[in-house]
Amino acid sequence: DLAITVITAFLWLVSTFAWAKALADIKMSTGASIILGIESCKAPGTTCRFASVTSMGILNVSVVFGLLNMVLWGGNVWFVYKDTNLHN
């Protein structure tokens, strides 16, 4: 039980950081800075504007809940460890 709990907590940690990095990449790829990379916007006499930004607050919340879930699994590791013979 202890090994599986430790592995699960570690996988939550890794997957939360991977999701946070992917979310940062999504925000960068869909932000106003993409206008500079569009070839048709570089043509003389054209004006490109960034009209709107989609709210990604719920995605930020998902990263926070992922971290909280990892903390919960970390606490579970402690309680499972206390039930083993390794803890005196």
Side-chain angles (χ1 to χ4, degrees):
D1 286 344
L2 179 62
I4 290 173
T5 307
V6 168
I7 290 169
T8 304
F10 177 73
L11 290 176
W12 266 109
L13 176 70
V14 171
S15 63
T16 299
F17 286 149
W19 172 235
K21 172 67 171 115
L23 181 58
D25 291 344
I26 289 170
K27 288 179 178 181
M28 180 93 67
S29 298
T30 59
S33 62
I34 64 170
I35 291 177
L36 300 174
I38 300 172
E39 290 299 322
S40 60
C41 290
K42 294 178 182 178
T46 60
T47 303
C48 295
R49 290 181 287 126
F50 194 75
S52 66
V53 177
T54 302
S55 175
M56 295 191 187
I58 195 76
L59 296 176
N60 293 333
V61 170
S62 71
V63 171
V64 170
F65 277 121
L67 287 172
L68 290 175
N69 199 1
M70 192 278 309
V71 169
L72 179 69
W73 276 100
N76 286 341
V77 168
W78 172 250
F79 287 113
V80 171
Y81 169 72
K82 287 189 69 140
D83 286 339
T84 65
N85 292 336
L86 300 172
H87 181 71
N88 292 333

